[in-house]
């Protein structure tokens, strides 16, 4: 019977070279039952909305991996704050190269951006404090397009002595990125490329830039789910990769141990302490994570790594599922082969897909009709819907720009479009008449966590337009709009 190894290698497209890929194995050979992994996947589908990609590594072998279509192995995914762990790695490498130290004052690197009279606490703030989210701020310094972020950071009040007060501070991570650029002459992205990304086979990573031309540091990195898994495995191996020490083991130890206490709730994986841009977890684990469910979880005692990309509102629920389903299944010795269950798992992982709308109502007679909207905050001006067999085309005018989206009927259809705050990029779209005279469509921007659901309910000469995002930093549901036949 073909193993997960063969299936995964055949299914993956655009994968990195064999020399940097982790070897594949059946779960049982690495001490995990296929039944437990299958139960994890089933529970994720039933209780989590929704995972996008999943890679489980045990004893250096990928034992299970899958992507919920239209998400896939070859496409990058936004990491949000999981980017912080990569920025931390860049700092560790720069320290190892003698370009800076943990005890360097932050002001040392920004003489032109410093306030005229820096406060005592600001003068005492050091690289060490940036790394462990203990800058002394009570609130996070803002990041705006009209001011240099480093100058805004240094102008922000520092009421607490650095090192005494934990505050999750993405602006502090930006300063780490800016410091690396100051001392190396390269963005964090460029600096890490030959030192980390290329050795790990991380192809074509991208990182957003600040108005100053600095990698944003605390967010903005996009890589593939498999890249996250290899990054986690590098840390599990104390920085060693294929016989070479890419990152000093001492840095790995320092970055992943408790550097700052941040709470006391024994049931929360956000109250277990913080390292250098890594979170401590329950059970003695550590992780990098990002908004809406991007995870790199390292389990040293179990010799395992879990990499997940997703679009979830409850990030703790995902970790609870890992602790409840996968952790108890990790045994010290290989298990007896279970070809039947391993085959079921194999097929399940190959067939993962996000749900698509399905036809269950009658279609409205609207083909070719154009509906216009009164001025609104969404800047939606007009829509027109046409049907052609297996596809439905939506033409939209937003803020004067015409956009065309082709939806597959009961399947995903690839395209490109800009939507909401997202610039033009790859999208998979699916739609159906889910109720009488109601067309429901999903736009899955599969290089991001974002999926938009659009509902068009037609009645007489008007249409009700509703749009909702799966996740958002603000409201997920936009106000309903009413359009009328032109």
């Amino acid at each position: 019977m073909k193993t997960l190894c063969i299936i995964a290698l055949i299914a993956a497209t655009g994968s990195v070279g064999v020399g940097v890929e982790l070897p594949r194995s059946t779960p049982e050979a690495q001490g995990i039952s296929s039944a437990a992994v299958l139960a994890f996947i089933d529970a994720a589908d039933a209780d989590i909305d929704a995972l996008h990609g999943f890679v489980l590594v045990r004893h250096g072998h990928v034992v299970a991996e899958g992507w919920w279509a239209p998400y896939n192995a070859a496409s990058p995914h936004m990491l949000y704050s999981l980017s912080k762990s990569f920025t931390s790695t860049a700092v560790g490498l720069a320290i190892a190269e003698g370009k800076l130290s943990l005890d360097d004052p932050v002001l040392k690197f920004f003489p032109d951006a410093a306030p005229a009279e820096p406060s005592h606490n600001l003068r005492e703030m050091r690289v060490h404090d940036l790394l462990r989210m203990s800058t002394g701020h009570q609130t996070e310094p803002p990041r705006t397009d009209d001011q240099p972020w480093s100058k805004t950071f240094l102008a922000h009040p520092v009421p607490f002595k650095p090192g005494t007060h934990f505050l999750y501070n993405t602006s502090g991570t930006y300063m780490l990125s800016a410091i690396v650029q100051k001392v190396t002459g390269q963005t964090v992205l460029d600096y890490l490329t030959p030192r980390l990304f290329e050795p790990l086979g991380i192809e074509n990573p991208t990182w957003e830039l600040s108005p100053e031309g600095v990698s944003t540091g605390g967010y903005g990195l996009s890589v593939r789910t498999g890249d996250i898994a290899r990054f986690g495995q590098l840390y599990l191996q104390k920085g060693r990769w294929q016989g070479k020490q890419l990152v000093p083991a001492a840095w790995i130890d320092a970055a992943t141990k408790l550097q700052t206490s941040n709470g006391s709730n024994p049931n929360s994986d956000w109250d277990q302490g913080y390292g250098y841009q890594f979170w401590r977890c329950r059970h003695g684990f550590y992780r990098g994570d990002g908004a809406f469910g991007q995870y790199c979880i390292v389990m040293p005692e179990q010799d395992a790594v879990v990499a997940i990309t997703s679009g979830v509102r409850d990030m703790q629920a995902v970790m609870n599922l890992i602790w409840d389903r996968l952790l108890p299944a990790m045994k010290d010795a290989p298990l007896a082969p279970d070809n039947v269950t391993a085959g079921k798992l194999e097929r399940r992982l190959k067939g993962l897909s996000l749900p698509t709308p399905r036809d269950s109502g009658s279609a409205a007679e609207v083909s070719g009709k154009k509906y216009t909207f009164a001025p609104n905050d969404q800047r939606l001006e007009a829509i027109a819907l046409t049907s052609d067999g297996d596809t439905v085309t939506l033409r939209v005018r937003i803020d004067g720009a015409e956009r065309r989206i082709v939806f597959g009927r009961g399947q995903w259809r690839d395209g490109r479009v800009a939507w909401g705050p997202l610039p033009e990029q790859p999208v998979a779209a699916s739609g159906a008449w889910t109720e009488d005279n109601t067309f429901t469509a999903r736009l899955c921007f599969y290089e991001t966590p974002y999926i938009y659901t659009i509902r068009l309910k037609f009645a007489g000469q008007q249409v009700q337009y509703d749009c909702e995002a799966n996740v958002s930093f603000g409201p997920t549901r936009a106000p309903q709009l009413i359009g009328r036949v032109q």
Side-chain angles (χ1 to χ4, degrees):
M1 186 188 72
K2 294 181 179 179
T3 65
L4 286 172
C5 168
I6 299 173
I7 293 296
L9 291 175
I10 292 175
T13 57
S15 61
V16 298
V18 174
V20 288
E21 277 285 12
L22 293 170
R24 269 59 179 171
S25 171
T26 60
E28 282 75 17
Q30 307 305 323
I32 306 177
S33 72
S34 293
V37 182
L38 187 59
F40 170 82
I41 296 295
D42 289 342
D45 267 355
D47 302 329
I48 304 294
D49 186 18
L51 300 191
H52 298 159
F54 163 72
V55 180
L56 174 60
V57 184
R58 185 91 199 279
H59 301 324
H61 293 72
V62 175
V63 299
E65 57 185 332
W67 286 262
W68 282 256
Y71 290 92
N72 59 80
S75 295
H77 197 286
M78 294 172 66
L79 299 192
Y80 280 108
S81 285
L82 179 48
S83 308
K84 290 178 169 69
S85 301
F86 289 83
T87 299
S88 169
T89 305
V91 173
L93 290 170
I95 289 175
E97 292 174 5
K99 298 183 183 299
L100 74 154
S101 78
L102 288 173
D103 294 326
D104 282 337
V106 174
L107 282 173
K108 168 185 175 180
F109 303 100
F110 305 96
D112 297 335
E117 297 183 5
S119 69
H120 173 75
N121 284 344
L122 179 59
R123 292 197 303 271
E124 290 296 310
M125 188 190 301
R126 303 183 185 278
V127 171
H128 184 218
D129 301 313
L130 295 175
L131 282 163
R132 57 186 177 147
M133 297 292 188
S134 294
T135 57
H137 290 120
Q138 186 169 16
T139 59
E140 184 177 343
R143 300 178 300 278
T144 62
D145 291 339
D146 60 347
Q147 289 288 332
W149 293 0
S150 54
K151 185 173 183 179
T152 302
F153 180 94
L154 297 173
H156 203 66
V158 187
F160 303 104
K161 181 179 180 179
T164 65
H165 180 75
F166 176 83
L167 175 72
Y168 193 72
N169 194 333
T170 296
S171 294
T173 313
Y174 172 75
M175 295 299 283
L176 291 170
S177 175
I179 288 170
V180 170
Q181 188 160 329
K182 288 276 188 179
V183 300
T184 68
Q186 295 178 292
T187 65
V188 165
L189 175 64
D190 290 339
Y191 180 69
L192 285 179
T193 293
R195 295 166 174 82
L196 183 77
F197 295 139
E198 288 179 350
L200 292 184
I202 299 177
E203 298 177 334
N204 304 314
T206 60
W207 210 317
E208 296 175 34
L209 297 175
S210 74
E212 300 168 271
V214 177
S215 296
T216 47
Y219 62 95
L221 177 63
S222 290
V223 298
R224 298 162 298 190
T225 321
D227 299 331
I228 300 170
R230 290 193 298 280
F231 178 68
Q233 186 65 26
L234 173 72
Y235 265 72
L236 182 62
Q237 296 171 177
K238 301 293 187 181
R240 196 163 183 80
W241 189 261
Q242 296 184 341
K244 296 182 179 179
Q245 194 71 37
L246 299 186
V247 181
W251 179 260
I252 302 285
D253 289 337
T256 59
K257 76 178 183 180
L258 189 148
Q259 296 285 350
T260 307
S261 295
N262 63 348
S264 60
N265 183 351
N267 299 316
S268 171
D269 284 294
W270 276 268
D271 273 22
Q272 307 306 309
Y274 198 77
Y276 291 159
Q277 310 289 294
F278 284 88
W279 294 91
R280 294 293 304 175
C281 304
R282 291 176 290 168
H283 310 292
F285 307 153
Y286 61 86
R287 74 186 188 279
D289 75 26
F292 313 129
Q294 324 316 318
Y295 305 88
C296 179
I297 299 173
V298 180
M299 307 176 174
E301 187 175 336
Q302 287 72 24
D303 194 24
V305 173
V306 179
I308 289 176
T309 47
S310 59
V312 300
R313 300 183 189 184
D314 186 353
M315 291 180 62
Q316 183 65 67
V318 177
M319 285 186 283
N320 289 344
L321 195 62
I322 295 170
W323 310 157
D324 294 343
R325 299 284 185 170
L326 295 180
L327 178 57
M330 295 182 183
K331 307 303 180 183
D332 294 335
L335 305 179
D338 183 354
N339 293 340
V340 173
T341 309
K344 289 180 181 178
L345 174 61
E346 201 173 274
R347 293 187 293 273
R348 186 84 168 86
L349 291 169
K350 286 180 61 181
L352 294 173
S353 179
L354 297 180
T356 58
R358 297 289 176 172
D359 285 313
S360 57
S362 61
E365 297 294 330
V366 297
S367 185
K369 293 182 180 179
K370 184 177 182 180
Y371 295 81
T372 60
F373 297 83
N376 57 80
D377 290 341
Q378 299 174 58
R379 299 182 179 180
L380 176 63
E381 298 172 3
I383 65 168
L385 196 69
T386 57
S387 181
D388 182 18
D390 292 335
T391 63
V392 175
T393 300
L394 178 66
R395 288 179 170 81
V396 188
R397 188 170 71 241
I398 299 177
D399 201 19
E402 297 287 343
R403 301 173 189 179
R404 179 176 175 271
I405 308 167
V406 180
F407 298 92
R409 298 282 291 275
Q411 59 185 341
W412 295 105
R413 174 74 176 256
D414 284 337
R416 290 184 65 88
V417 72
W419 197 262
L422 300 177
E424 182 177 317
Q425 61 184 282
V427 67
S430 180
W433 293 97
T434 54
E435 299 176 23
D436 288 347
N437 302 319
T438 300
F439 185 75
T440 302
R442 302 189 83 195
L443 294 173
C444 179
F445 291 89
Y446 54 83
E447 294 184 358
T448 82
Y450 299 109
I451 301 170
Y452 290 88
T453 300
I454 302 167
R455 292 181 180 86
L456 302 173
K457 185 174 181 62
F458 298 90
Q461 297 298 300
Q462 70 178 32
V463 62
Q464 293 178 359
Y465 170 90
D466 291 281
C467 183
E468 183 177 10
N470 60 330
V471 292
S472 173
F473 289 109
T476 55
R477 186 188 298 270
Q480 185 180 88
L481 301 178
I482 304 296
R484 291 176 172 79
V485 172
Q486 186 174 26

